Amino acid sequence: MTDGARPLPDSGTAESATSRNRTAQRPGSGAAIADRTNLGPMIMEWLHELAECSEDQVELTRRYLTPEHAKAAEIVMARMREAGMSASLDAVGNVVGRFPGRRPDARRLILGSHLDTVQNAGKYDGALGVMLPIACLKALHERGERLDYPVDVIAFGDEEGVRFQATLIGSRAVAGDFDPTLLTAVDEDGVRLHEALRAFGLDPDAVGRAAYRRDEVAGYIEVHIEQGPVLEAEGRPIGVVSSIAGATRLRAEVIGRAGHAGTVPMHLRHDALAAASEAVAAIERICLDIPGAVGTVGVLRTVSGAVNVIPGVVKFTVDVRAGSDERHQEALARIEGAFLAIAQRRGVVFDSVTTHDVRACQCSPRLMRCLGEAIEAEGFEVRELPSGAGHDAMAMAHLTEVGMLFVRCKDGISHHPAESMTEADAEVAARVLLRFLEGFDPNEGAPSDHGAAGEAPC
Ligand code: GLV
Ligand code: MN
Ligand code: MN
């Protein structure tokens, strides 16, 4: 084992090296690889390289099963192989890299996040949780080190749901929770998911093969930028996620009556856009009223709209989330009631299809504690925080215990090209993950304990 470590950079945070509490280091991890790495620069370079795979020359947009997804997958597979992993595509286009452990029969730990992006995205959402674990495993590989247990890194093909309006396709398939009716979902060009899978070189009839067995998995860990302002406001580079908000997405349509903008008097109109506007305002009012609920209309368009035509049909999307299932359901019920009232008053029809519906997800107390110990061993205080954003971890919770690390993001901005994080924070996160990996025991939290692993040691 060679010690080729370069000096550690200053993390650039309030908790600088001088205030670090090295005595918090876990017993047995004294020779931790985390002490001898400097992975931040490489992780950032890899993330910038991946961001070149975009459908648009100016904006970063990389949707599921596009040629740019294929290009990104090739890059990820190459990085995995450099890290001593085997790498291949699974049945839904996820990249799966396997890092062998000393005990091949041990249950495997899965690390990962997604490769797809929203339109005009930032470089870190999803990609960080793919590249950072590969960098950590590469550090182990280059030192000839193995963990006791095997580790898989999965770069999920679809989390954002931008192309087929159904989120988490990649992680649902891995978790064995893929709904086959999704295969007929269409993108905006009318391409069905099963056609897109075929065009990507995959067999839509084989999607079931992407699923892992419950008894072969010891847990799932996702590293992700926070996408919010809390860590930055508190001067912390890293935090542990406690829960992920439940979320529902609707594709809604208002059907009114189109007409001539000059001839139909105001009191005889059934203006679909005026009705939709009321609906948007109602969603905002209802979610303001319910603590912890958030509601967003991110897309709204008139069908065949023109300056001198009363809108006859309007299509819009609704995204409603809340940290508690009770509040989430209350928000949905009140929004439905508001749509009905607007429809009756205005003589229009509201139609909606639910395209995504997940309950709130609690992270595993055991994995949270193990991640917290790794953070303390790096000299930082543990900050637990909930996630308002959705993550692959929500789908993976159907398969195994899940834990997440949040990394500070600049100004809390995400889903936007201004999304940013520092090399120093990437380094902190890599060291925390390495410490976690070195301390993780795949025998604890057996599948039957899933979700209730309690106080078992790491
Ligand atoms: C995913 O990024 C989501 O929360 O919408
Ligand atoms: Mn996202
Ligand atoms: Mn994400």
Side-chain angles (χ1 to χ4, degrees):
M1 203 167 70
T2 56
D3 189 340
R6 279 168 281 168
L8 292 170
D10 189 327
S11 71
T13 65
E15 300 99 330
S16 68
T18 49
S19 67
R20 286 182 181 189
N21 172 14
R22 290 280 164 203
T23 57
Q25 191 164 307
R26 285 167 43 71
S29 59
I33 283 230
D35 284 336
R36 293 174 287 115
T37 62
N38 181 17
L39 299 174
M42 184 174 75
I43 292 165
M44 297 303 269
E45 188 190 315
W46 285 2
L47 289 167
H48 296 166
E49 175 191 41
L50 205 57
E52 297 296 314
C53 304
S54 172
E55 294 171 53
D56 188 288
Q57 292 303 301
V58 183
E59 303 176 345
L60 168 55
T61 302
R62 189 169 57 238
R63 293 170 308 151
Y64 180 42
L65 301 177
T66 55
E68 292 70 28
H69 172 196
K71 206 169 134 206
E74 283 301 326
I75 291 174
V76 169
M77 287 195 273
R79 295 298 182 203
M80 285 173 163
R81 290 179 187 125
E82 281 170 31
M85 310 171 80
S86 64
S88 55
L89 280 185
D90 75 4
V92 282
N94 299 318
V95 179
V96 180
R98 300 203 141 174
F99 189 72
R102 271 193 289 266
R103 286 176 30 222
D105 57 322
R107 293 190 301 147
R108 53 189 66 248
L109 179 68
I110 304 179
L111 308 174
S113 195
H114 56 100
L115 278 189
D116 66 322
T117 72
V118 293
Q119 198 170 332
N120 197 16
K123 297 185 178 105
Y124 308 94
D125 174 4
L128 177 69
V130 173
M131 296 322 240
L132 188 143
I134 300 172
C136 291
L137 295 174
K138 181 174 155 92
L140 292 174
H141 175 64
E142 286 177 349
R143 288 163 176 77
E145 295 229 354
R146 285 277 177 263
L147 298 161
D148 267 349
Y149 53 91
V151 177
D152 287 8
V153 176
I154 307 186
F156 297 109
D158 171 81
E159 183 266 0
E160 303 284 5
V162 171
R163 182 161 179 197
F164 292 100
Q165 302 293 309
T167 62
L168 304 166
I169 292 176
S171 40
R172 277 186 206 279
V174 165
D177 190 34
F178 179 86
D179 173 2
T181 62
L182 265 183
L183 289 169
T184 57
V186 278
D187 71 5
E188 62 190 4
D189 299 320
V191 178
R192 292 193 186 276
L193 174 55
H194 66 82
E195 292 161 348
L197 285 166
R198 243 186 249 293
F200 207 74
L202 301 167
D203 174 4
D205 296 327
V207 166
R209 289 199 203 132
Y212 281 59
R213 285 194 331 270
R214 227 165 238 240
D215 62 357
E216 66 180 323
V217 182
Y220 172 75
I221 300 291
E222 182 163 352
V223 182
H224 207 284
I225 52 162
E226 182 201 339
Q227 306 183 276
V230 176
L231 293 173
E232 184 178 59
E234 296 180 5
R236 303 175 194 277
I238 196 153
V240 177
V241 178
S242 51
S243 63
I244 307 172
T248 300
R249 291 185 188 176
L250 310 176
R251 206 170 43 221
E253 189 172 72
V254 187
I255 302 149
R257 192 180 308 144
H260 194 292
T263 61
V264 184
M266 295 307 284
H267 70 285
L268 292 180
R269 292 185 180 200
H270 303 279
D271 183 328
L273 184 55
S277 310
E278 263 197 59
V280 174
I283 291 166
E284 185 184 48
R285 193 177 61 251
I286 290 164
C287 291
L288 268 171
D289 194 45
I290 300 176
V294 285
T296 307
V297 174
V299 175
L300 186 149
R301 66 183 176 86
T302 51
V303 177
S304 310
V307 65
N308 55 355
V309 178
I310 300 164
V313 178
V314 168
K315 292 179 188 277
F316 63 104
T317 60
V318 183
D319 180 312
V320 178
R321 309 181 192 209
S324 96
D325 287 332
E326 204 185 337
R327 299 253 158 91
H328 181 197
Q329 291 313 316
E330 182 190 344
L332 288 172
R334 284 177 59 181
I335 287 169
E336 195 185 326
F339 284 6
L340 202 64
I342 297 164
Q344 281 170 352
R345 188 161 25 80
R346 288 183 168 272
V348 299
V349 174
F350 273 79
D351 221 1
S352 70
V353 179
T354 302
T355 55
H356 172 68
D357 191 36
V358 284
R359 295 163 71 92
C361 164
Q362 301 304 314
C363 292
S364 147
R366 178 175 82 98
L367 295 179
M368 284 173 64
R369 188 168 43 75
C370 296
L371 291 168
E373 286 179 10
I375 289 174
E376 279 179 344
E378 278 301 314
F380 299 102
E381 260 178 36
V382 179
R383 169 67 153 103
E384 293 180 359
L385 69 171
S387 172
H391 298 290
D392 291 297
M394 305 177 91
M396 292 298 282
H398 289 270
L399 177 72
T400 186
E401 290 180 79
V402 301
M404 286 192 73
L405 284 173
F406 265 174
V407 182
R408 167 170 52 191
C409 91
K410 188 166 184 308
D411 298 329
I413 296 173
S414 185
H415 283 182
H416 188 274
E419 181 180 281
S420 183
M421 60 172 277
T422 65
E423 184 179 294
D425 287 354
E427 170 65 12
V428 169
R431 289 167 51 166
V432 167
L433 184 65
L434 273 167
R435 277 190 196 278
F436 170 86
L437 293 175
E438 289 178 302
F440 181 72
D441 179 351
N443 294 318
E444 301 298 339
S448 53
D449 301 343
H450 163 203
E455 290 309 304
C458 302

